[in-house]
Amino acid sequence: MNKADLIEEVAKILGTKKDAQAAVDCVFATISDALKKDDAVTLVGFGTFKVDKRQARKGRNPRTGEALDIPARNVPKFNPGKALKDAVN
């Protein structure tokens, strides 16, 4: 399923694709904004979106073998909830 398929499913409830796209975009934007502020977003039964901090580390260019520094960065992370895990299994 991709974003267009998700909008189709939401449109069945809301009535129009325009309203469904606005709702889906709003949910994604709200989650993104919360993660930018380093807040976790917990959807009970579905899962938790949070920001994980990766430490700086040394790496190697696989082509040349040259050592390089990989800077620290923040990455989004999703932990599925129990209900989602149970639904999949």
Side-chain angles (χ1 to χ4, degrees):
M1 177 177 273
N2 59 28
K3 186 175 177 182
D5 296 335
L6 182 61
I7 290 171
E8 290 283 335
E9 290 298 315
V10 174
K12 292 177 184 177
I13 304 296
L14 295 181
T16 66
K17 276 189 179 180
K18 184 177 180 181
D19 290 343
Q21 182 165 359
V24 170
D25 288 342
C26 180
V27 169
F28 290 157
T30 303
I31 292 171
S32 296
D33 290 344
L35 293 177
K36 285 178 191 174
K37 296 175 189 172
D38 207 20
D39 290 338
V41 178
T42 302
L43 304 171
V44 177
F46 184 72
T48 302
F49 296 91
K50 62 182 180 179
V51 176
D52 198 18
K53 294 169 180 29
R54 284 194 184 161
Q55 299 294 325
R57 63 191 193 276
K58 298 279 187 190
R60 291 212 172 267
N61 181 331
R63 181 173 290 177
T64 64
E66 176 186 359
L68 52 106
D69 292 325
I70 300 172
R73 64 183 313 172
N74 295 331
V75 293
K77 189 173 184 179
F78 176 73
N79 291 330
K82 184 178 181 338
L84 180 59
K85 288 179 188 177
D86 291 344
V88 172
N89 288 323

